[in-house]
Amino acid sequence: MDVLQKKPQNLAIHTNPSHDLRVVECEIPKLRPDECLVHVRATGICGSDVHFWKHGRIGPMIVTGDNGLGHESAGVVLRVGDAVTRFKPGDRVAMECGVPCSKPTCDFCRTGKYHACPDVVFYSTPPHHGTLRRYHAHPEAWLHRLPDHVTFEEGALLEPLTVALAGIDRSGLRLADPLVICGAGPIGLVTLLAAHAAGAAPIVITDIDENRLAKAKELVPRVQTVHVQKQETSQELGARIVKELGQEAKLVLECTGVESSVHAGIYATRFGGLVFVIGVGKDFQNIPFMHMSAKEIDLRFQYRYHDIYPKAISLVNAGLIDLKPLVSHRYGLEEGVQAFATASNPAARAIKVQILDD
């Protein structure tokens, strides 16, 4: 039986400016000529999804109406538009959810920096609905074929992996670079996996949660861990990081966006080193300006990613990065509200919560 006949309801997870979270039924989208209708089989809950639900905004991106969540998704093609040539029904795909305008008049799209396109449609970022739904229409150009042995769960995890790989590319990480990763949440852990594959050594990872540090050690046994103490200053934490690393860091990949964590990373960095911020934090933050000036420490940032999905798929396909252990909780689409409760509750000890639909 065709899945559309078996499951005619297009369920989705939505929030709104009142911070409600609910499972809703949407229309099954009509395809444009260049689109594929995808049955979304796996979607990870990102910290930004929780943030849009709980706080209603991330910087200038504000929830002003009913808003569908989710952008870490993989699934199977059910139908294709008249102009689609690369995919057919039954193909397994991961969805790249930042769709730029691709106009020849757009400098960013023309020069390959399409993630900076001012007219980009990023699914789940207001006012665009996300991919956390049963059926989603996606442009052919922004679908990526999954190898046969890469699961839908791994396909959904490619999105956070692309974030980590973009950071590693832009930071210039090289073999045997002494590295500090601040934060052992999902992005910190995929960054650890990618940095390990890239040959960083030694590596220290920090977090306030001992369970996440234990997970980091399980994923990469050679990593050294530093448990962040609430009462210590950023300078004290930086000194402990340096002691554990055995030297000052050439590179810090900051994956939390928390001001005190950024500071600790700065205090753990060598003269001429780089602190590269991947995490998302408050709109305005202080920095130890003169310390950075006296040590010529560079501070750089990242906004999403571009041209990374094929690389991420290759690394997973080759077995160089194993994403499977990152999924800690699984829920059905109808259990979406419960899934978000787990993802937002520290007591649940979740790493990556995924919502699945068979």
Side-chain angles (χ1 to χ4, degrees):
M1 181 185 294
D2 183 270
V3 67
L4 286 163
Q5 294 178 309
K6 184 180 178 182
K7 295 184 174 183
Q9 291 182 309
N10 189 15
L11 302 182
I13 313 299
H14 281 209
T15 189
N16 59 29
S18 299
H19 312 292
D20 296 323
L21 186 73
R22 62 204 185 283
V23 179
V24 302
E25 184 176 352
C26 307
E27 290 185 1
I28 296 175
K30 294 180 174 64
L31 292 182
R32 296 174 181 171
D34 67 336
E35 289 181 332
C36 297
L37 183 67
V38 178
H39 177 200
V40 182
R41 296 289 301 275
T43 301
I45 297 177
C46 176
S48 65
D49 295 316
V50 174
H51 214 82
F52 280 131
W53 163 40
K54 293 277 191 179
H55 304 285
R57 67 182 297 162
I58 297 176
M61 298 170 285
I62 303 171
V63 176
T64 58
D66 207 45
N67 204 84
L69 298 170
H71 58 266
E72 301 177 5
S73 295
V76 60
V77 174
L78 297 180
R79 296 173 180 170
V80 299
D82 293 339
V84 171
T85 60
R86 294 173 51 239
F87 297 99
K88 65 183 186 304
D91 285 343
R92 301 165 65 257
V93 293
M95 290 175 265
E96 184 170 351
C97 284
V99 179
C101 73
S102 299
K103 295 176 182 176
T105 53
C106 177
D107 287 342
F108 296 108
C109 290
R110 191 176 65 250
T111 58
K113 298 178 181 178
Y114 61 80
H115 61 310
C117 171
D119 296 319
V120 67
V121 172
F122 198 95
Y123 294 113
S124 79
T125 298
H128 309 292
H129 289 316
T131 57
L132 188 39
R133 56 195 56 232
R134 178 165 287 147
Y135 305 118
H136 168 74
H138 205 84
E140 173 190 26
W142 303 98
L143 290 173
H144 301 274
R145 193 181 308 277
L146 291 177
D148 290 341
H149 66 277
V150 174
T151 67
F152 291 120
E153 291 186 13
E154 291 174 289
L157 282 164
L158 291 170
E159 202 279 341
L161 177 58
T162 59
V163 174
L165 293 176
I168 284 176
D169 274 359
R170 277 180 37 80
S171 67
L173 176 67
R174 298 177 66 85
L175 288 167
D177 277 352
L179 171 69
V180 172
I181 299 171
C182 295
I187 294 296
L189 291 176
V190 292
T191 297
L192 172 62
L193 290 171
H196 172 60
I203 306 175
V204 163
I205 191 166
T206 71
D207 204 275
I208 200 167
D209 186 335
E210 290 186 281
N211 295 296
R212 289 187 167 183
L213 292 176
K215 188 67 176 181
K217 197 77 173 174
E218 174 189 324
L219 293 172
V220 180
R222 70 181 177 91
V223 73
Q224 299 301 311
T225 61
V226 171
H227 182 220
V228 178
Q229 307 295 325
K230 291 183 178 180
Q231 69 275 11
E232 68 186 333
T233 67
S234 296
Q235 291 97 323
E236 290 169 341
L237 176 55
R240 284 207 296 127
I241 293 170
V242 170
K243 182 178 179 181
E244 196 64 46
L245 191 66
Q247 58 189 294
E248 291 180 316
K250 180 180 178 181
L251 172 65
V252 172
L253 295 173
E254 211 298 315
C255 299
T256 74
V258 175
E259 183 175 305
S260 59
S261 180
V262 176
H263 290 182
I266 290 169
Y267 287 120
T269 302
R270 67 170 60 168
F271 188 96
L274 169 65
V275 176
F276 190 93
V277 181
I278 298 174
V280 176
K282 294 179 181 178
D283 285 357
F284 293 92
Q285 300 193 28
N286 297 305
I287 59 171
F289 182 89
M290 284 309 300
H291 176 87
M292 295 179 68
S293 175
K295 296 191 74 169
E296 292 189 359
I297 294 172
D298 291 336
L299 181 63
R300 297 182 65 190
F301 298 86
Q302 174 178 327
Y303 183 66
R304 294 177 179 161
Y305 46 81
H306 67 94
D307 301 310
I308 300 288
Y309 259 85
K311 179 185 292 188
I313 291 171
S314 293
L315 289 167
V316 174
N317 189 40
L320 292 172
I321 293 179
D322 183 9
L323 298 174
K324 295 185 186 74
L326 293 175
V327 181
S328 58
H329 296 75
R330 297 168 176 86
Y331 291 89
L333 185 55
E334 295 84 355
E335 303 171 302
V337 173
Q338 184 181 350
F340 269 81
T342 297
S344 61
N345 179 11
R349 297 181 178 178
I351 300 297
K352 176 58 68 175
V353 178
Q354 286 196 345
I355 296 177
L356 311 177
D357 192 59
D358 295 329

